[in-house]
Amino acid sequence: MMNQTSRKVMRFTAWSAIIGGVLAYANVGLSLAVTGPDADMVLHGAPMLALPPDTRDLFRWCMVADTLGFYLPFLVIGGYFVHVFREELGALRNMVAMAVVLYVMVGVTGAVMQFAVLHPLAHLYAGGDDATRNAAAAVWTAIANGTQNGLWWIEGPLVLFWTLIAANLLEKAGWKGSILLKIVGWAFGVFFLFGFFPDLDALSNASEMVVVLVLPLWMLLFGWQLLRRARTLPARLQGAGATT
């Protein structure tokens, strides 16, 4: 029974990672479809609120993919990780779990706020006088900058903390792709550091691009490896799948 339960949990975690990786890449594609090469357009109210309805819908789907790709899957992945490596982590177990949960919370908060307010503000912008249009644009600018340069910025030290720990333990346990997780962690750390210096926006954007391209790749690789391990679980000793 333990083998069967462990196998189901492993498969659920694996597919959460794989589907999450696909949706994370979908988020990148949708973002490019909305803004083109000018990713900073999202931070400015007037051009965002002037987008046609179909393009605004694309941006809202982008936020859905962001939530389901870059964030929610890590509740499953993180939960599986702290369970499997509970002995190796020791006192770090709760710290890693808290860091993952906080990462998901701040990330989802930023995405769903933008998802929720874009259409209402765009309607105000389209039908209002100059004062209303300026106010609507200012509200969007504040929310977008608060998300990008506040909520998503603070993800940096959280992800740097847990990814380096996870990468080292996974590497010792024979998992492939740990270097990808280390790259993600350091890129998040650089993104956080450069956030203090507005003149380094180009480097900050470059580190963010590394994150959004490499993290989904690691998710896909991790999920594929976990599926392979789940297939061999029945041949192992009773309960071994819960700790490998």
Side-chain angles (χ1 to χ4, degrees), residues 10-22:
M10 292 173 75
R11 288 176 61 85
F12 176 68
T13 305
W15 281 113
S16 296
I18 291 170
I19 294 172
V22 172

Side-chain angles (χ1 to χ4, degrees), residues 72-170:
L72 292 184
F74 283 96
L75 292 177
V76 180
I77 296 170
Y80 180 80
F81 173 78
V82 297
H83 172 71
V84 169
F85 293 99
R86 57 192 179 278
E87 294 183 0
E88 292 86 347
L89 286 168
L92 287 173
R93 180 185 180 188
N94 290 338
M95 300 179 198
V96 169
M98 183 62 71
V100 172
V101 169
L102 287 175
Y103 160 71
V104 173
M105 286 178 60
V106 296
V108 169
T109 299
V112 298
M113 280 200 307
Q114 293 182 94
F115 173 89
V117 304
L118 180 57
H119 273 337
L121 289 177
H123 293 155
L124 285 174
Y125 187 84
D129 55 21
D130 287 344
T132 301
R133 289 163 62 90
N134 290 335
V139 170
W140 174 265
T141 299
I143 291 174
N145 279 272
T147 296
Q148 180 69 29
N149 301 318
L151 291 172
W152 290 348
W153 170 74
I154 200 60
E155 293 171 3
L158 298 172
V159 177
L160 176 62
F161 172 71
W162 68 259
T163 51
L164 296 186
I165 294 172
N168 288 332
L169 288 178
L170 289 169

Side-chain angles (χ1 to χ4, degrees), residues 5-104:
T5 301
S6 298
R7 186 171 183 268
K8 289 180 179 179
V9 171
M10 292 173 75
R11 288 176 61 85
F12 176 68
T13 305
W15 281 113
S16 296
I18 291 170
I19 294 172
V22 172
L23 290 174
Y25 277 132
N27 164 260
V28 177
L30 289 169
S31 179
L32 287 173
V34 172
T35 67
D38 183 18
D40 286 343
M41 186 184 84
V42 174
L43 302 177
H44 304 288
M48 283 298 294
L49 299 183
L51 290 172
D54 289 347
T55 307
R56 294 201 308 270
D57 284 336
L58 279 182
F59 182 80
R60 282 161 55 85
W61 280 113
C62 176
M63 292 299 97
V64 172
D66 193 34
T67 300
L68 299 179
F70 283 107
Y71 296 112
L72 292 184
F74 283 96
L75 292 177
V76 180
I77 296 170
Y80 180 80
F81 173 78
V82 297
H83 172 71
V84 169
F85 293 99
R86 57 192 179 278
E87 294 183 0
E88 292 86 347
L89 286 168
L92 287 173
R93 180 185 180 188
N94 290 338
M95 300 179 198
V96 169
M98 183 62 71
V100 172
V101 169
L102 287 175
Y103 160 71
V104 173

